[in-house]
Amino acid sequence: MDLFGVLHLDELSHGLANLSMFPYFDMAHYIVSIMALREQPGVLEVSRVSPLACWFSSMLFCFGGGVLSAIMLAEPAVAPLSNSTSVLLASITWYLVFYCPMDLVYCCAALLPLRLVLSGMKEVTRTWKVLGGVTQAHSKYKDSLMVMIAIGWAKGAGGGLISNFEQLVRGVWKPETNELLKMSYPTKITLIGAVLFALQQTHYLPLQKHHLMLIYTIFTVVNKSKMMLTGSSASPFAGIESAIYKTLFTGHSPYAALTSEEKKACINNGATNGTTSTATTGGNRVAGTNTLVSPVNGQSGLLKAKEESENAETTNCKKSK
Amino acid sequence: MDLFGVLHLDELSHGLANLSMFPYFDMAHYIVSIMALREQPGVLEVSRVSPLACWFSSMLFCFGGGVLSAIMLAEPAVAPLSNSTSVLLASITWYLVFYCPMDLVYCCAALLPLRLVLSGMKEVTRTWKVLGGVTQAHSKYKDSLMVMIAIGWAKGAGGGLISNFEQLVRGVWKPETNELLKMSYPTKITLIGAVLFALQQTHYLPLQKHHLMLIYTIFTVVNKSKMMLTGSSASPFAGIESAIYKTLFTGHSPYAALTSEEKKACINNGATNGTTSTATTGGNRVAGTNTLVSPVNGQSGLLKAKEESENAETTNCKKSK
Amino acid sequence: MDLFGVLHLDELSHGLANLSMFPYFDMAHYIVSIMALREQPGVLEVSRVSPLACWFSSMLFCFGGGVLSAIMLAEPAVAPLSNSTSVLLASITWYLVFYCPMDLVYCCAALLPLRLVLSGMKEVTRTWKVLGGVTQAHSKYKDSLMVMIAIGWAKGAGGGLISNFEQLVRGVWKPETNELLKMSYPTKITLIGAVLFALQQTHYLPLQKHHLMLIYTIFTVVNKSKMMLTGSSASPFAGIESAIYKTLFTGHSPYAALTSEEKKACINNGATNGTTSTATTGGNRVAGTNTLVSPVNGQSGLLKAKEESENAETTNCKKSK
């Protein structure tokens, strides 16, 4: 491609494509993932009561993508465990993040500059994981774009997609939330990556693989850094999503006439049917405004996105001193 | 078989056996399945908030049997996705049923005569799916009747058997209901079909395959049509089931002495232990009558059978006009 | 090894290693497992309302290890069903335990001397199952100790590890309990066995296989018998566990300063988040004592270990007479 030649980016993209994820980038992925787990509500207590459940949860955060894509492709789900070095590295990280004397490791890694670097490195591993999934699916299902996207997505965002079952390991069960009902930013960006790499693999996208890797990696890293620095969790795709949503999914009218507040109340009633007794008392107060709110904003109070916890302040550390 | 020769049914059964399910019968299966999904409580709201979760639920309704039998046989669970044409057809159906302007497609398909035809065609696909499952299992496990029945059943009634997890995709969790605790009519008829085809495959049933296909298909189609026209959801096997139940499963006495109302209360307490706080206030009122109620009637108020929603009135359409 | 030669145990261990589990030991395993299921709260009611769900639960108790390890190794999950003789034997046992006229079978098997013998025989099958799992994993993943331990553990203690999903079959959902959060004695002893056999297989443990089988079998049988006779459910490893826990998992201080009662309250709040509304009113009463309680004792009131039900008194029988 000419533009890459002009900007001397060809070498850079080749260099990136040949980069080894092991051990530094993998390590950053483990640290950021396990810190995200630690910042979930109730996890510190579980880590005291049952170190084994905590370790298993951590492994699902680190290797969830591998486990999910293995199950989908009927390959052994224990395969990630067979890579002893990775498991050892992740286990050491888990131990240091949760049980280090004086909580040194967590507090250091939670400092903004270091966390920024680690999160950036974790985003780089996303490119490799998505590409790995797409390639693996392509070798089994030559012509199926859908399968490639599904496996690439599962491999890149597995930890989020299986979060219901990861929580179950810790004794938490929140059926009313999942990544399909309300996608978090990492899940969205991974889905977009999976679509792009699958299109590239099937030559619908006229780009070379290492060029796409460069573009996608830069986009994810820059975007993640921006989100961490500004503290915003707004999706960069909110505009596009809203437009697509309004064009495609507001066809027939009976439901569109409801106000957004009423809709939220409906969803609460429907979703938690038979499991919880969430109070939705104030649900009908604001009725009267007659606008249709897109799903991007509609449910923001209901679900806690994983990336928010990644941006969380390091108050735990301060308390512990 | 002589009877078939006499009645000139041999040609008919051969013709049926050579019938291709794609595209018309498959299409009818998708339409009826996705309409059944749409008529579940809370689904319309989910379809507005998260089209992706709604799409995924629809795919599980359409291809649930394939996914379940693939997992049971350790074949790739994404395999149904690899058939692009089917997925595309099902996705278009999903879009039209949920988001068609003026809700035209749903309202037309919900008209009784058309729905009757579509439901009949869907029943025909059941024969093919059950037979496909039994044949697939037979090719892997030559002598195991149990495996053949299990796979045939899973392939034919997969959507119902995995309904707990399909609901989870939509944020709904009803642990107290599943198709094993209270079988719906489609699940029952599929189980019977799986048993018959497995017996035929192992030559315990002295019938030719195409004859059995004809008999089973006619039985399911006629029965389904009768149920839709009379609006009854009574199982045609209620008598046999009750007889088998009374003969086999009422051996020892301590529990048999309980009244049916007390039993229901017990089940509510046991089944919902730790998840809900269902009020079972009136449970002990009718104590004194000393009859043992068969499971066919025992729990009818607790669980909503899928086929009932298929028979639901088309009130939604009227509202939307 | 000399000690074995001196004590003439070599022949004994060879004899044990060549012992066939089928049919007597397998039978004992089925009887004890299904009796343990029957003693779970609410199961008798389920056995009346839905014999099929009860049968499926029983099969998961009997063959859960095989199913779980098959899923982990991407082998057909229906494989245990393909062994017709075992399934038939287990099904007959299930029928006799639940539906035998006069409840004869359950009441006889529940008599202490017979139950003691059956439980001892069941413990013997544990050795074979763990060893089978380790060997199977070794043949696929030569060098991975982790995989061998995981598969050995899954095969030996599968029924317990999948208990959340086994309960779901019966309509029960207790997300706040699982074997990883609070291991029961059988799960612990199986994990230890899996570690030992995996170490033996990779020659880190300088013992011959049949010697280890003898030692492990004797240990499990003696220990089980002792627990049943004394009625205690105290783990023989409580001391070691407590020491390991205090050494490794009490690193940083913020949480350690909480009292055990406060911690329990935290866990209740965390674990049951969004699913139940457990009252933890008295939680802060005892605040002031400043000790750290190990997990061995910390949660003993929360979770019902499976082995307790195995030791349960036979009150049901007395009632039914």
Side-chain angles (χ1 to χ4, degrees):
Chain A
M1 207 181 180
D2 279 336
L3 190 68
F4 280 89
V6 170
L7 293 171
H8 299 285
L9 289 174
D10 221 41
E11 275 177 52
L12 183 64
S13 66
H14 270 298
L16 183 80
N18 293 326
L19 205 64
S20 168
M21 286 300 105
F22 182 82
Y24 302 112
F25 289 88
D26 279 347
M27 193 82 187
H29 167 59
Y30 302 148
I31 296 176
V32 173
S33 300
I34 294 172
M35 283 172 72
L37 168 65
R38 196 187 134 139
E39 283 153 5
Q40 304 273 313
V43 171
L44 269 185
E45 290 75 16
V46 169
S47 76
R48 300 294 133 176
V49 171
S50 172
L52 185 71
C54 179
W55 175 82
F56 194 70
S57 255
S58 300
M59 293 305 111
L60 286 181
F61 259 71
C62 292
F63 304 108
V67 171
L68 182 60
S69 64
I71 291 173
M72 287 166 73
L73 285 172
E75 287 170 2
V78 288
L81 275 187
S82 69
N83 187 343
S84 307
T85 326
S86 299
V87 174
L88 194 67
L89 211 59
S91 299
I92 292 172
T93 308
W94 159 77
Y95 185 79
L96 291 177
V97 167
F98 276 100
Y99 307 104
C100 180
M102 311 289 298
D103 215 9
L104 270 175
V105 171
Y106 175 75
C107 287
C108 288
L111 293 173
L112 190 60
L114 191 50
R115 189 155 199 166
L116 202 63
V117 173
L118 290 172
S119 298
M121 288 169 81
K122 181 196 155 88
E123 290 305 305
V124 175
T125 65
R126 197 181 299 281
T127 310
W128 265 251
K129 285 190 286 178
V130 173
L131 181 59
V134 169
T135 314
Q136 192 182 2
H138 184 64
S139 69
K140 282 203 167 187
Y141 296 93
K142 276 274 166 281
D143 305 316
S144 179
L145 207 61
M146 290 290 293
V147 174
M148 281 183 237
I149 295 171
I151 301 293
W153 193 28
K155 200 141 196 171
L161 292 171
I162 59 168
S163 59
N164 282 102
F165 297 96
E166 180 275 320
Q167 289 167 353
L168 184 57
V169 170
R170 296 186 270 122
V172 176
W173 185 246
K174 294 178 185 165
E176 69 280 8
T177 71
N178 68 55
E179 287 284 329
L180 289 173
L181 271 178
K182 164 81 180 133
M183 267 198 249
S184 62
Y185 164 76
T187 310
K188 258 180 212 161
I189 191 78
T190 310
L191 178 55
I192 292 168
V195 171
L196 290 178
F197 281 107
L199 289 174
Q200 192 279 327
Q201 198 82 31
T202 48
H203 306 293
Y204 289 113
L205 193 74
L207 261 179
Q208 292 196 46
K209 195 192 277 178
H210 52 277
H211 291 160
L212 182 58
M213 285 175 78
L214 182 67
I215 296 170
Y216 181 70
T217 307
I218 289 177
F219 180 77
T220 53
V221 172
V222 166
N223 216 39
K224 180 78 195 172
S225 307
K226 206 178 67 189
M227 284 171 71
M228 285 185 73
L229 289 174
T230 60
S232 111
S233 66
S235 167
F237 318 110
I240 304 167
E241 278 173 42
S242 182
I244 292 175
Y245 179 81
K246 277 179 188 157
T247 316
L248 290 178
F249 299 119
T250 52
H252 83 103
S253 51
Y255 193 64
L258 294 177
T259 65
S260 64
E261 281 297 315
E262 281 175 334
K263 253 192 293 175
K264 269 198 243 173
C266 290
I267 288 151
N268 282 344
N269 292 338
T272 60
N273 195 349
T275 50
T276 51
S277 53
T278 318
T280 55
T281 47
N284 294 319
R285 297 267 170 84
V286 206
T289 60
N290 214 29
T291 52
L292 180 69
V293 174
S294 91
V296 183
N297 312 313
Q299 239 188 348
S300 56
L302 261 180
L303 308 159
K304 278 205 173 183
K306 198 173 151 192
E307 83 268 27
E308 279 173 22
S309 67
E310 289 181 18
N311 296 333
E313 295 171 81
T314 60
T315 43
N316 284 326
C317 290
K318 279 154 202 162
K319 271 189 220 150
S320 73
K321 278 168 191 168
Chain B
M1 205 180 182
D2 278 336
L3 190 68
F4 280 89
V6 170
L7 294 169
H8 299 285
L9 289 174
D10 221 39
E11 275 177 52
L12 182 65
S13 65
H14 270 296
L16 182 81
N18 293 326
L19 205 64
S20 167
M21 287 298 107
F22 182 84
Y24 302 112
F25 290 88
D26 279 345
M27 194 82 185
H29 166 59
Y30 302 148
I31 296 175
V32 172
S33 299
I34 295 172
M35 283 172 71
L37 169 65
R38 195 186 133 138
E39 284 153 4
Q40 303 276 311
V43 171
L44 269 184
E45 290 76 15
V46 169
S47 76
R48 300 296 133 175
V49 172
S50 173
L52 186 71
C54 178
W55 176 81
F56 193 71
S57 256
S58 300
M59 293 306 111
L60 287 180
F61 259 71
C62 292
F63 304 110
V67 171
L68 182 60
S69 65
I71 291 173
M72 287 166 73
L73 285 172
E75 286 171 2
V78 289
L81 275 186
S82 69
N83 188 344
S84 308
T85 325
S86 299
V87 175
L88 194 68
L89 211 59
S91 299
I92 292 172
T93 309
W94 159 76
Y95 185 80
L96 291 175
V97 167
F98 276 99
Y99 307 104
C100 181
M102 312 290 298
D103 215 8
L104 271 175
V105 171
Y106 176 75
C107 288
C108 288
L111 294 172
L112 190 60
L114 191 51
R115 189 156 199 166
L116 201 62
V117 173
L118 290 172
S119 298
M121 288 170 81
K122 181 195 154 86
E123 291 305 305
V124 175
T125 67
R126 197 182 299 281
T127 310
W128 265 250
K129 286 192 285 179
V130 172
L131 180 59
V134 169
T135 314
Q136 193 182 2
H138 184 65
S139 68
K140 284 202 164 188
Y141 296 93
K142 277 274 168 280
D143 306 315
S144 179
L145 207 63
M146 290 288 294
V147 174
M148 280 183 236
I149 294 172
I151 301 294
W153 193 29
K155 200 140 195 170
L161 292 171
I162 59 169
S163 60
N164 283 102
F165 296 97
E166 180 275 318
Q167 289 168 352
L168 185 58
V169 170
R170 297 186 269 121
V172 176
W173 186 245
K174 295 179 185 164
E176 70 279 8
T177 69
N178 68 54
E179 287 283 330
L180 289 173
L181 272 178
K182 164 83 180 132
M183 266 199 250
S184 62
Y185 164 75
T187 310
K188 257 179 213 162
I189 191 80
T190 311
L191 178 56
I192 292 167
V195 171
L196 291 178
F197 281 107
L199 289 174
Q200 192 280 327
Q201 198 81 31
T202 48
H203 305 294
Y204 288 114
L205 194 73
L207 260 179
Q208 293 196 46
K209 193 192 279 179
H210 53 275
H211 291 160
L212 182 57
M213 284 174 77
L214 182 68
I215 297 171
Y216 181 70
T217 307
I218 290 176
F219 179 76
T220 54
V221 172
V222 166
N223 216 38
K224 179 77 196 173
S225 307
K226 206 179 66 188
M227 284 170 73
M228 284 183 74
L229 289 173
T230 59
S232 109
S233 67
S235 168
F237 317 110
I240 303 167
E241 279 173 43
S242 182
I244 293 176
Y245 179 81
K246 277 180 188 156
T247 316
L248 289 179
F249 299 120
T250 51
H252 82 104
S253 51
Y255 194 64
L258 294 177
T259 65
S260 64
E261 281 296 314
E262 279 176 334
K263 253 194 294 174
K264 268 199 242 173
C266 288
I267 287 150
N268 281 344
N269 292 337
T272 60
N273 194 349
T275 50
T276 51
S277 52
T278 319
T280 56
T281 46
N284 296 317
R285 296 267 171 82
V286 206
T289 60
N290 214 28
T291 52
L292 180 69
V293 174
S294 92
V296 183
N297 312 315
Q299 237 189 351
S300 56
L302 261 181
L303 309 159
K304 279 204 171 183
K306 198 172 152 195
E307 84 269 26
E308 279 173 20
S309 66
E310 289 181 18
N311 296 334
E313 293 172 84
T314 60
T315 43
N316 285 326
C317 291
K318 279 153 202 164
K319 272 189 218 151
S320 72
K321 276 166 192 167
Chain C
M1 205 178 181
D2 280 335
L3 191 68
F4 280 90
V6 170
L7 295 170
H8 299 286
L9 291 174
D10 221 41
E11 274 178 54
L12 183 64
S13 65
H14 270 296
L16 183 81
N18 293 328
L19 205 66
S20 168
M21 286 300 104
F22 182 84
Y24 302 112
F25 289 88
D26 279 346
M27 194 80 187
H29 166 59
Y30 302 148
I31 296 175
V32 172
S33 299
I34 294 172
M35 283 172 72
L37 169 65
R38 195 185 133 139
E39 283 153 6
Q40 303 274 311
V43 171
L44 268 184
E45 290 76 15
V46 169
S47 76
R48 300 295 134 176
V49 171
S50 173
L52 185 70
C54 179
W55 176 80
F56 193 70
S57 256
S58 300
M59 293 305 110
L60 286 181
F61 259 71
C62 292
F63 304 109
V67 171
L68 181 60
S69 64
I71 291 174
M72 288 166 74
L73 286 171
E75 287 171 1
V78 287
L81 275 187
S82 69
N83 188 342
S84 308
T85 325
S86 299
V87 174
L88 194 68
L89 210 58
S91 299
I92 292 171
T93 308
W94 158 77
Y95 185 80
L96 291 176
V97 167
F98 276 100
Y99 307 104
C100 181
M102 311 291 297
D103 215 9
L104 269 177
V105 171
Y106 175 76
C107 288
C108 288
L111 294 173
L112 191 60
L114 191 50
R115 189 154 198 166
L116 201 64
V117 172
L118 290 172
S119 298
M121 288 170 81
K122 181 196 155 85
E123 290 304 306
V124 175
T125 66
R126 197 181 298 282
T127 309
W128 265 251
K129 284 191 285 177
V130 173
L131 181 60
V134 170
T135 314
Q136 193 182 2
H138 184 65
S139 69
K140 283 203 166 188
Y141 296 93
K142 275 274 168 280
D143 305 316
S144 181
L145 206 62
M146 290 289 294
V147 174
M148 280 183 235
I149 295 172
I151 301 294
W153 193 28
K155 201 140 195 170
L161 292 171
I162 60 169
S163 59
N164 283 102
F165 297 96
E166 179 275 319
Q167 288 167 353
L168 185 58
V169 170
R170 295 185 270 123
V172 176
W173 186 244
K174 295 179 185 165
E176 69 281 4
T177 69
N178 68 54
E179 287 284 330
L180 288 173
L181 272 178
K182 165 82 180 133
M183 265 198 250
S184 62
Y185 165 75
T187 310
K188 258 180 213 161
I189 192 78
T190 311
L191 179 55
I192 292 168
V195 171
L196 291 177
F197 281 108
L199 289 174
Q200 193 279 327
Q201 198 82 30
T202 48
H203 305 295
Y204 289 112
L205 194 74
L207 262 178
Q208 292 197 46
K209 195 191 280 179
H210 52 276
H211 291 161
L212 182 58
M213 286 174 77
L214 181 67
I215 297 171
Y216 181 71
T217 306
I218 290 177
F219 179 77
T220 53
V221 172
V222 166
N223 215 36
K224 181 77 195 172
S225 307
K226 206 178 67 189
M227 284 169 71
M228 285 184 73
L229 289 174
T230 60
S232 111
S233 67
S235 168
F237 318 110
I240 303 168
E241 278 173 40
S242 182
I244 292 176
Y245 179 79
K246 277 180 189 158
T247 315
L248 289 178
F249 299 120
T250 51
H252 82 103
S253 51
Y255 194 64
L258 294 176
T259 66
S260 65
E261 281 296 315
E262 280 174 336
K263 255 193 295 177
K264 268 199 242 172
C266 289
I267 288 151
N268 282 343
N269 292 336
T272 61
N273 194 349
T275 49
T276 51
S277 53
T278 319
T280 56
T281 46
N284 295 317
R285 296 267 171 84
V286 205
T289 59
N290 213 28
T291 51
L292 180 70
V293 174
S294 91
V296 182
N297 313 314
Q299 240 188 348
S300 55
L302 262 179
L303 309 159
K304 280 204 172 183
K306 197 173 152 193
E307 83 268 28
E308 279 173 21
S309 66
E310 290 181 16
N311 297 333
E313 296 170 82
T314 60
T315 43
N316 285 325
C317 289
K318 280 152 201 163
K319 272 190 218 150
S320 71
K321 276 166 192 168

